[in-house]
Amino acid sequence: MTTSSLFRPPVTRRPDPSLAHRRADVRLTLRGPDGAALAGQDVVVRQTRHAFWFGCIGFDLVDLANGDSRDPGYDQLLADAWLDVFNQATLPFYWGTFEPERGVPRTARLRRAAEWFAVRGVVVKGHPLVWHTVQPGWLLDVAREGGDRVTAAGLAEVERLQRERIRRDVTDMAGVIDTWDAINEVVIMPVFTAEDNAITPLARARGRVETIRIAFEEARAANSSATLLLNDFDMSTAYECLLEAVLEAGIRIDRLGLQSHMHQGWWGEEKTLDVLERFGRYGIPIHFTETTLLSGELMPEHVVDLNDWQVDEWPSTAEGEARQAEELEAHLRLLLAHPDVEAFTYWGLSDRGMWLNAPGGLLRADGSPKPAYDRLRDLVRGEWWLAPTTLRTDAEGRVRVTGFLGDYEVTLPGVRDAAPLPFSLDSPGAVERTLRLA
Amino acid sequence: MTTSSLFRPPVTRRPDPSLAHRRADVRLTLRGPDGAALAGQDVVVRQTRHAFWFGCIGFDLVDLANGDSRDPGYDQLLADAWLDVFNQATLPFYWGTFEPERGVPRTARLRRAAEWFAVRGVVVKGHPLVWHTVQPGWLLDVAREGGDRVTAAGLAEVERLQRERIRRDVTDMAGVIDTWDAINEVVIMPVFTAEDNAITPLARARGRVETIRIAFEEARAANSSATLLLNDFDMSTAYECLLEAVLEAGIRIDRLGLQSHMHQGWWGEEKTLDVLERFGRYGIPIHFTETTLLSGELMPEHVVDLNDWQVDEWPSTAEGEARQAEELEAHLRLLLAHPDVEAFTYWGLSDRGMWLNAPGGLLRADGSPKPAYDRLRDLVRGEWWLAPTTLRTDAEGRVRVTGFLGDYEVTLPGVRDAAPLPFSLDSPGAVERTLRLA
């Protein structure tokens, strides 16, 4: 029979807490412009970028990037803290806030924000191209053809507009944003009841798989080199089954997005390992796209839709901050230990303006760092980072360095006018690099 | 692109509590052997079978059917009660109890049981051909190649044996059992952890969809006219997603099996309608394959795997019995109101030997009927049944009868030696039938 299935036998890659799979052990040979080994020379090696994506949302910096911050001092503080740790930003492309007035998308504004990050060496992801919430009101009117019931003709028009929206925005951002959450939360999409919207009935009419196909097909057509994610919060077997449906349908998912908004408490080691093992078996690299850990009281377990928990005050506490730091470190170590995980994105830097008013930031509302921020920085720019390190080359001009996969540069303080020599570590284990001064 | 998808746009058929879609209004014309209308003649019309499957498991009657009952009086009482209400029996083909010793399947025993039902006009379904529990111990040894870890070669042999088992049993039962739960509980199958078995690692290695394909492909090959079900207890979006995966893979599911073991309480109208609406939209006729309602204390809500609730005593109570009768009637009325539902199978007639020791029977352990049994019988053989009804033909030899879809016969007490005249009502609404005496 003909089949377009992309389902493959399962991949089983075991976690390795030593993180050996994240490190390379490089022997650098340094040569002068004439090719002769630079023997007995002091060199300084330093890391300039992580290959792993340590990300955060960049929503709060859109104003600053556009030069219209309402609190420039605070926003600059945020920006400094942000850039001191993270190398991947997720920017908001919720249709309802991106194009609240039909035909007037905030393209220029978001493009400037994306460029602000990009010029600072940050990878930018757009989130999301298709989702059933944060919809523009006018889209529901389209679905209802101006009446009070969704019609088949209305849905056909919604599909056309959704496709057009994807093509437009992916095209407009190409080169600056080449990674997209193509579609968000499809497990629940056709059965979502909390809010009337135009996308739920579309997903119901077309089916989950065809709705996913719309998103991937249009985004791929607009930017063939884009990295496209399927993203969901549902870590149950439902998401496995959905993924199997998508693979059976022959739709190529570049990266698998797993949310982890842990407002009800850290998953803990057992659940985290279970999720990694279950979702890792599809052989699709995993992005932890949305992580939240609270530094205050937890949300009660009985709450199913986190949006149902609305409180006025939700303070960060000393005890909560200590716990958050512990849990963030434990969680991150588990993620990095798993070879399938490529990215980790924290969902909000500061408590000011946090989703649900929750104390989930890494900075307090006043901008001061919580222990979790310091802990994260200690890992990302400390334990897992090669700070400038002075070494002396041997008789063959060689030095040995071990570091996390990423970008590096070598400077030669003893050589006049020597430009820094960049190199990259792309794959783990022992490697050789020869660098030659110009 | 090539696609083998069997996914179709959603079907929306609304429930109709009047059950008009279950009834036909027939005008019968009766003629003599010479073709002349039998005018002014008394005729008795009676129903002989329901088109709808009102089913129950037949596990308890296997001994009686094989003539080796250990309590013949009790079993005969069960048999009488069984046959007085039901027209569909589910028989146990759990591999572990069907073939506990490799190569010695209980084929003859199950075939006799199936025939016992079949000659009494009962449709027999086999349950299930593939499942990850109630496995024979020797199969796990095969998966482990005699060692203590499942191997790839071991799994290949398990797959071969599983395929062979399906072909053998479907072939052996063909003509008596032509309906099968081809595979059971696939949503959880590859992530099931409660018990080591050979099928979970097979499902993990092949993927859910390919495991389903194995079941359907082999059963279909062995009996091309078989009615094959996909059956699950998971009523969440996970089962929707799995079904979408199966349809994308081009696997034809004849009937969709939905379990409803309601040990933690009746679903209630809202959930029942929601389940019907969500699973009805795939356009596949629905069988409620496994229904349990308790006449005693309910299992606490915190229990996730019902098998975890093990108690010594679980009495049926007067209050519980009244509730069970109400709920069974309400549930059944909702199911029949939905045009997609074709079958309803209750999971156990008597409390004696009930799964989990639960008071889920329609008879008490002593065989006396609970109110739920009487209520069910009143519906199936009362409100929804045409008892023998005497009518007089008009001048054109005609009578009018309204009845549930199913089989009927007409007898003519005033005509000597007139054999009963059978007819069927297959589709709802107004129909015409002409019957002629031989």
Side-chain angles (χ1 to χ4, degrees), chain A residues 1-2 4 7 10 187 191 204-209 213 237-238 240-242 244-245 248-249 277-278 281-282, chain B residues 1-2 4 7 10 187 190-191 204-209 213 237-238 240-242 244-245 248-249 277-278 281:
Chain A
M1 55 162 286
T2 31
S4 54
F7 187 88
V187 168
V191 296
R204 208 171 177 86
R206 302 293 184 265
R208 288 180 174 86
V209 171
R213 197 193 299 280
T237 51
E240 294 178 37
C241 292
L242 178 66
E244 294 177 30
E248 288 296 335
E277 203 276 330
R278 287 193 290 114
R281 73 189 203 269
Y282 299 101
Chain B
M1 55 163 287
T2 30
S4 54
F7 186 89
V187 168
V191 296
R204 209 173 176 85
R206 303 292 184 266
R208 288 180 174 86
V209 171
R213 198 193 299 280
T237 52
E240 295 178 37
C241 292
L242 177 66
E244 293 177 30
E248 289 296 334
E277 204 275 329
R278 287 194 290 114
R281 71 188 203 269

Side-chain angles (χ1 to χ4, degrees), chain B residues 209-341:
Chain B
V209 171
E210 286 310 303
T211 308
I212 293 169
R213 198 193 299 280
I214 289 170
F216 278 76
E217 189 172 272
E218 295 297 343
R220 193 84 72 197
N223 181 352
S224 62
S225 61
T227 298
L228 302 178
L229 285 86
L230 181 68
N231 192 45
D232 215 297
F233 70 86
D234 189 325
M235 296 297 107
S236 79
T237 52
Y239 194 23
E240 295 178 37
C241 292
L242 177 66
L243 185 59
E244 293 177 30
V246 168
L247 296 175
E248 289 296 334
I251 299 171
R252 182 161 62 87
I253 302 297
D254 298 318
R255 300 293 185 271
L256 187 58
L258 306 182
Q259 300 180 20
S260 53
H261 292 293
M262 299 181 280
H263 292 70
Q264 293 167 313
W266 180 44
W267 289 353
E269 179 167 327
E270 186 180 338
K271 174 170 174 182
T272 307
L273 290 175
D274 177 63
V275 164
L276 287 167
E277 204 275 329
R278 287 194 290 114
F279 290 98
R281 71 188 203 269
Y282 298 101
I284 304 171
I286 290 174
H287 286 195
F288 270 72
T289 51
E290 308 184 19
T291 295
T292 309
L293 282 164
L294 301 192
S295 68
E297 248 187 84
L298 299 178
M299 193 185 287
E301 265 196 58
H302 65 79
V303 179
V304 175
D305 182 341
L306 301 187
N307 288 294
D308 292 341
W309 189 250
Q310 299 289 346
V311 290
D312 292 330
E313 291 263 312
W314 198 344
S316 186
T317 64
E319 186 195 356
E321 291 183 359
R323 186 193 63 221
Q324 182 195 36
E326 290 297 313
E327 292 174 348
L328 181 63
E329 175 173 351
H331 195 63
L332 207 45
R333 284 192 189 278
L334 289 174
L335 301 194
L336 267 77
H338 203 289
D340 290 322
V341 180

Side-chain angles (χ1 to χ4, degrees), chain A residues 252-272:
Chain A
R252 181 160 64 85
I253 302 298
D254 299 318
R255 298 294 184 273
L256 188 58
L258 306 182
Q259 300 180 20
S260 54
H261 293 293
M262 300 181 279
H263 293 70
Q264 292 165 317
W266 181 43
W267 289 353
E269 180 167 327
E270 187 181 338
K271 175 171 173 179
T272 306

Side-chain angles (χ1 to χ4, degrees), chain B residues 86-144:
Chain B
F86 299 114
N87 64 349
Q88 182 269 326
T90 296
L91 286 182
F93 282 81
Y94 306 106
W95 200 352
T97 51
F98 184 74
E99 192 179 358
E101 184 186 345
R102 187 170 173 179
V104 192
R106 303 194 166 164
T107 309
R109 186 167 182 78
L110 267 291
R111 177 139 185 133
R112 274 192 297 269
E115 284 166 346
W116 185 92
F117 281 106
V119 298
R120 286 162 175 80
V122 171
V123 174
V124 187
K125 185 179 73 170
H127 167 86
L129 292 167
V130 184
W131 194 29
H132 50 271
T133 72
V134 200
Q135 283 288 310
W138 55 263
L139 194 67
L140 186 55
D141 291 338
V142 169
R144 291 172 170 169

Side-chain angles (χ1 to χ4, degrees), chain A residues 172-202:
Chain A
D172 286 347
M173 300 294 154
V176 186
I177 302 181
D178 296 318
T179 303
W180 290 93
D181 288 328
I183 188 164
N184 200 31
E185 303 181 358
V186 184
V187 168
I188 204 180
M189 189 174 275
V191 296
F192 177 78
T193 54
E195 198 179 6
D196 280 339
N197 73 90
I199 298 302
T200 286
L202 181 68

Side-chain angles (χ1 to χ4, degrees), chain A residues 17-28:
Chain A
S18 83
L19 308 188
H21 54 287
R22 304 265 172 214
R23 283 195 198 86
D25 190 17
V26 62
R27 190 166 69 172
L28 287 174

